[in-house]
C-alpha cells in the first residue's frame, strides 16, 4: 500500500454484499485511496448459511477478522472514555 494512501473499509447493509460497492471502489482507487469491501457472514461470497447466524457477533466476524489482520501502522486507535 502506498504510504500516502488512506485505506477505506466499506461495509454493506442488510440484504446486500460487498458487490454493492464496486462503482465506489473504482472511483476511490482512481482517487488514490485503498478501498476494501467486506462480505459479512451469509452475504455475497461468504459461505455461511444465513439461517445459522444467531448474533451480531457472528454476522460481523468477517469484518472483525479483516480489521485484526491489518498492519499496526494502518489501524486507528481511539479512546471512548
Amino acid at each position: 500500500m502506498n504510504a500516502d494512501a488512506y485505506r477505506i473499509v466499506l461495509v454493506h447493509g442488510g440484504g446486500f454484499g460487498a458487490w454493492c460497492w464496486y462503482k465506489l471502489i473504482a472511483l476511490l482507487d482512481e482517487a488514490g485511496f485503498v478501498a476494501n469491501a467486506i462480505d459479512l457472514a451469509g452475504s455475497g461470497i461468504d459461505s455461511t448459511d444465513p439461517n445459522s447466524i444467531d448474533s451480531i457477533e457472528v454476522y460481523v466476524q468477517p469484518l472483525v477478522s479483516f480489521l485484526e489482520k491489518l498492519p499496526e501502522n494502518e489501524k486507528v486507535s481511539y479512546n471512548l472514555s
Side-chain angles (χ1 to χ4, degrees), residues 3-81:
D4 296 329
Y6 287 97
R7 179 181 302 276
I8 298 174
V9 179
L10 302 165
V11 181
H12 59 82
F16 289 94
W19 55 266
C20 70
W21 297 111
Y22 77 96
K23 288 183 180 180
L24 182 58
I25 288 173
L27 293 171
L28 289 169
D29 286 343
E30 285 180 25
F33 294 94
V34 175
N36 298 98
I38 306 303
D39 279 316
L40 298 178
S43 304
I45 63 169
D46 184 272
S47 62
T48 305
D49 177 5
N51 296 314
S52 71
I53 300 169
D54 58 0
S55 68
I56 192 70
E57 289 84 10
V58 172
Y59 187 55
V60 299
Q61 186 55 49
L63 174 61
V64 171
S65 294
F66 176 82
L67 294 174
E68 288 176 343
K69 292 176 185 171
L70 287 174
E72 285 301 317
N73 65 332
E74 291 185 31
K75 293 181 180 180
V76 176
S77 60
Y78 55 91
N79 186 345
L80 296 176
S81 58

